[in-house]
Amino acid sequence: MKLTVTGRHMDITPAIQDHLEERLGKIVTDLEGMIDVHAILSVEKYRHKAEITVKGKGVTFHSEDETKDLYGAIDSTVEKLDKQLKKHRDKIKEKRPKHGATIKDLPIQ
Protein backbone atom coordinates (compact mmCIF):
# COMPACT_ATOMS: atom_id res chain seq x y z
CA MET A 1 0.00 0.00 0.00
CA LYS A 2 1.36 3.38 -1.01
CA LEU A 3 -0.04 6.11 1.24
CA THR A 4 0.21 9.79 0.33
CA VAL A 5 -1.04 12.30 2.90
CA THR A 6 -1.60 15.96 2.07
CA GLY A 7 -2.38 18.57 4.70
CA ARG A 8 -4.14 21.78 3.78
CA HIS A 9 -3.64 24.60 6.29
CA MET A 10 -2.07 22.13 8.72
CA ASP A 11 1.01 20.05 9.34
CA ILE A 12 0.81 16.26 9.22
CA THR A 13 2.20 14.91 12.49
CA PRO A 14 3.57 11.39 12.92
CA ALA A 15 0.56 10.58 15.14
CA ILE A 16 -1.88 11.48 12.36
CA GLN A 17 0.18 9.51 9.83
CA ASP A 18 0.26 6.44 12.11
CA HIS A 19 -3.49 6.67 12.79
CA LEU A 20 -4.23 6.76 9.06
CA GLU A 21 -1.92 3.82 8.31
CA GLU A 22 -3.43 1.75 11.11
CA ARG A 23 -7.05 2.40 10.11
CA LEU A 24 -6.47 1.96 6.37
CA GLY A 25 -4.27 -1.10 6.79
CA LYS A 26 -7.20 -3.03 8.25
CA ILE A 27 -9.61 -2.44 5.36
CA VAL A 28 -7.34 -2.37 2.32
CA THR A 29 -5.82 -5.83 2.84
CA ASP A 30 -8.45 -7.47 0.60
CA LEU A 31 -7.59 -5.46 -2.50
CA GLU A 32 -5.07 -7.18 -4.72
CA GLY A 33 -2.22 -5.65 -6.66
CA MET A 34 -0.73 -2.22 -6.23
CA ILE A 35 -2.87 -0.02 -4.02
CA ASP A 36 -2.49 3.75 -4.10
CA VAL A 37 -4.14 5.65 -1.25
CA HIS A 38 -4.30 9.44 -1.24
CA ALA A 39 -5.59 11.24 1.85
CA ILE A 40 -6.27 14.97 2.00
CA LEU A 41 -6.75 16.46 5.46
CA SER A 42 -7.80 20.07 5.85
CA VAL A 43 -8.71 22.46 8.64
CA GLU A 44 -10.86 25.57 8.30
CA LYS A 45 -11.69 27.22 11.62
CA TYR A 46 -13.61 24.52 13.51
CA ARG A 47 -14.22 22.22 10.53
CA HIS A 48 -11.90 19.29 10.04
CA LYS A 49 -12.28 17.53 6.72
CA ALA A 50 -10.86 14.21 5.55
CA GLU A 51 -10.94 12.99 1.94
CA ILE A 52 -9.56 9.58 1.06
CA THR A 53 -9.22 8.06 -2.41
CA VAL A 54 -8.21 4.41 -2.87
CA LYS A 55 -7.08 3.26 -6.30
CA GLY A 56 -6.65 -0.45 -6.83
CA LYS A 57 -6.54 -2.80 -9.74
CA GLY A 58 -9.28 -1.42 -11.99
CA VAL A 59 -11.32 0.18 -9.18
CA THR A 60 -11.39 3.56 -7.46
CA PHE A 61 -13.14 4.39 -4.20
CA HIS A 62 -13.59 7.86 -2.74
CA SER A 63 -15.11 9.14 0.48
CA GLU A 64 -15.04 12.31 2.51
CA ASP A 65 -16.42 13.61 5.76
CA GLU A 66 -16.33 16.77 7.84
CA THR A 67 -16.57 16.99 11.65
CA LYS A 68 -15.31 19.08 14.55
CA ASP A 69 -12.56 16.54 15.34
CA LEU A 70 -9.86 15.49 12.85
CA TYR A 71 -9.57 11.93 14.16
CA GLY A 72 -13.36 11.58 14.05
CA ALA A 73 -13.38 12.76 10.45
CA ILE A 74 -10.68 10.22 9.56
CA ASP A 75 -12.54 7.40 11.31
CA SER A 76 -15.90 8.12 9.69
CA THR A 77 -14.27 8.48 6.26
CA VAL A 78 -12.54 5.11 6.67
CA GLU A 79 -15.86 3.54 7.75
CA LYS A 80 -17.48 4.84 4.54
CA LEU A 81 -14.63 3.37 2.51
CA ASP A 82 -15.01 0.06 4.33
CA LYS A 83 -18.70 -0.09 3.35
CA GLN A 84 -17.81 0.59 -0.29
CA LEU A 85 -15.12 -2.11 -0.27
CA LYS A 86 -17.49 -4.66 1.31
CA LYS A 87 -20.13 -3.92 -1.31
CA HIS A 88 -17.54 -4.35 -4.06
CA ARG A 89 -16.36 -7.67 -2.56
CA ASP A 90 -19.94 -8.94 -2.38
CA LYS A 91 -20.55 -8.07 -6.03
CA ILE A 92 -17.43 -9.97 -7.06
CA LYS A 93 -18.45 -13.02 -5.00
CA GLU A 94 -21.92 -13.07 -6.59
CA LYS A 95 -20.45 -13.11 -10.10
CA ARG A 96 -18.21 -16.12 -9.43
CA PRO A 97 -19.59 -19.49 -10.54
CA LYS A 98 -20.55 -21.80 -7.70
CA HIS A 99 -18.37 -24.86 -7.22
CA GLY A 100 -20.04 -28.15 -8.04
CA ALA A 101 -22.63 -26.76 -10.46
CA THR A 102 -22.86 -28.91 -13.59
CA ILE A 103 -24.88 -28.86 -16.76
CA LYS A 104 -27.23 -31.59 -15.53
CA ASP A 105 -28.19 -29.36 -12.56
CA LEU A 106 -29.63 -26.74 -14.92
CA PRO A 107 -33.39 -26.90 -15.66
CA ILE A 108 -34.36 -28.42 -19.00
CA GLN A 109 -36.31 -26.21 -21.38
Side-chain angles (χ1 to χ4, degrees):
M1 174 176 80
K2 179 184 168 192
L3 176 64
T4 307
V5 182
T6 304
R8 293 185 181 155
H9 307 291
M10 63 177 290
D11 294 327
I12 302 300
T13 63
I16 294 172
Q17 181 87 18
D18 292 341
H19 184 73
L20 265 171
E21 288 176 5
E22 177 186 336
R23 295 284 289 157
L24 289 171
K26 293 178 183 177
I27 66 165
V28 179
T29 55
D30 295 336
L31 286 178
E32 300 165 354
M34 181 61 183
I35 301 167
D36 184 31
V37 180
H38 186 77
I40 301 171
L41 307 174
S42 62
V43 176
E44 296 175 9
K45 291 192 177 184
Y46 299 106
R47 298 182 308 191
H48 298 271
K49 186 175 182 179
E51 300 177 44
I52 301 176
T53 303
V54 177
K55 293 181 182 179
K57 200 173 193 178
V59 294
T60 302
F61 302 100
H62 178 80
S63 68
E64 59 184 76
D65 196 21
E66 187 176 303
T67 61
K68 291 182 179 181
D69 178 33
L70 182 62
Y71 289 96
I74 292 170
D75 291 343
S76 60
T77 304
V78 170
E79 286 176 12
K80 289 179 183 181
L81 272 176
D82 190 31
K83 287 180 185 177
Q84 291 178 19
L85 290 170
K86 284 181 183 177
K87 187 175 181 179
H88 178 70
R89 274 185 246 129
D90 291 343
K91 283 183 180 180
I92 290 174
K93 286 181 183 178
E94 287 177 7
K95 290 182 180 179
R96 290 185 194 163
K98 305 242 191 275
H99 295 290
T102 60
I103 294 176
K104 64 182 178 182
D105 294 336
L106 297 174
I108 300 173
Q109 295 182 3

